[in-house]
Amino acid sequence: MALCLLALGALLIAPVAPAGAHPHVWVTVETTVVYEGGSITGLKHKWIFDDMYTAMAIQGLDANGDGQYSREELAELAQVNIDGLKEFGYFTVAKLGKTVVKSKPPVDYYLEYKDSLLALHFTLPLEQPVLADAPDFNFAVFDESFFIAFDFGKDDPVKLAGAPQGCAANIGIPENELAELQALNESFGGQLTTGDANAGMGLGYARTVTLGCKKS
């Protein structure tokens, strides 16, 4: 069986897209923030690819011809994706304030084919756990070149697993939208709101997620 190399990592060998270029792949992001012992220990991602990418990526991967794509049939493509994403830091930037929080290599990664769409699952463990009540822990998922357009899903896209009581996630407004809101706010004499202080911390179209817990 010939492996289809139209994997996400392979696509990114292409030159960086120029300013004003449109994305070639669309990804819907769902992330579970993993807590253990009162600390954040990792980010568990689910990236759902658009139908066009899915159709190209799965070509030739139905080994037994049953019209289904099992985790085993997609395992080699999952590995190609994970290997290719390493160079790009898995498009995930976590920070404590403005300090970058490093992660370990991904674990528990696999591809899933469901409802005619391909989804990549993987967990990024943090190198050092971050206390749940540490101020301003945040993360964003984005491609700076905008070759790939990442956006969070509409329904509960960020979940907290094992979080202490009183913890919550806030999804900020992308910078481009925030700038429009700020301009509109100024035109109305500052009478409109542009969201809370955590909004708009991402890059361009990225949405930054800020985590916080109430002090007991």
Side-chain angles (χ1 to χ4, degrees):
M1 177 188 67
L3 174 67
C4 172
L5 292 180
L6 191 59
L8 189 60
L11 278 173
L12 291 166
I13 298 173
V16 173
H22 62 276
H24 292 70
V25 181
W26 285 261
V27 177
T28 300
V29 178
E30 297 176 4
T31 300
T32 298
V33 183
V34 181
Y35 292 76
E36 295 179 14
S39 295
I40 300 170
T41 60
L43 302 173
K44 186 176 182 180
H45 287 316
K46 178 182 179 181
W47 292 356
I48 305 170
F49 301 107
D50 66 81
D51 53 355
M52 290 185 63
Y53 171 82
T54 294
M56 291 185 290
I58 63 174
Q59 289 181 17
L61 298 184
D62 183 12
N64 59 12
D66 65 352
Q68 305 296 318
Y69 297 86
S70 67
R71 189 179 299 190
E72 291 72 25
E73 289 173 320
L74 297 171
E76 192 172 356
L77 180 58
Q79 188 66 58
V80 170
N81 275 317
I82 291 297
D83 291 345
L85 289 168
K86 180 179 180 180
E87 179 182 351
F88 302 92
Y90 308 99
F91 294 116
T92 303
V93 178
K95 295 182 179 180
L96 190 56
K98 294 184 179 180
T99 302
V100 173
V101 176
K102 295 183 180 180
S103 62
K104 298 177 183 178
V107 297
D108 302 329
Y109 51 86
Y110 63 93
L111 279 168
E112 173 189 35
Y113 183 75
K114 184 178 180 180
D115 299 328
S116 301
L117 295 176
L118 199 61
L120 177 65
H121 298 252
F122 66 101
T123 299
L124 285 176
L126 302 183
E127 280 193 357
Q128 298 293 332
V130 174
L131 290 174
D133 60 1
D136 201 19
F137 176 82
N138 59 87
F139 71 91
V141 181
F142 64 93
D143 173 17
E144 189 171 354
S145 73
F146 204 45
F147 188 88
I148 302 169
F150 291 94
D151 198 8
F152 285 101
K154 294 181 180 180
D155 300 321
D156 195 22
V158 179
K159 298 179 176 63
L160 310 184
Q165 188 173 4
C167 295
N170 174 70
I171 303 178
I173 303 173
E175 283 185 357
N176 65 319
E177 292 183 18
L178 184 64
E180 293 174 1
L181 285 172
Q182 289 172 334
L184 184 62
N185 188 38
E186 291 172 3
S187 70
F188 278 84
Q191 297 178 13
L192 303 179
T193 178
T194 56
D196 62 42
N198 293 325
M201 293 174 61
L203 178 64
Y205 290 87
R207 296 184 183 273
T208 295
V209 179
T210 302
L211 285 299
C213 298
K214 294 179 180 178
K215 297 286 186 178
S216 57

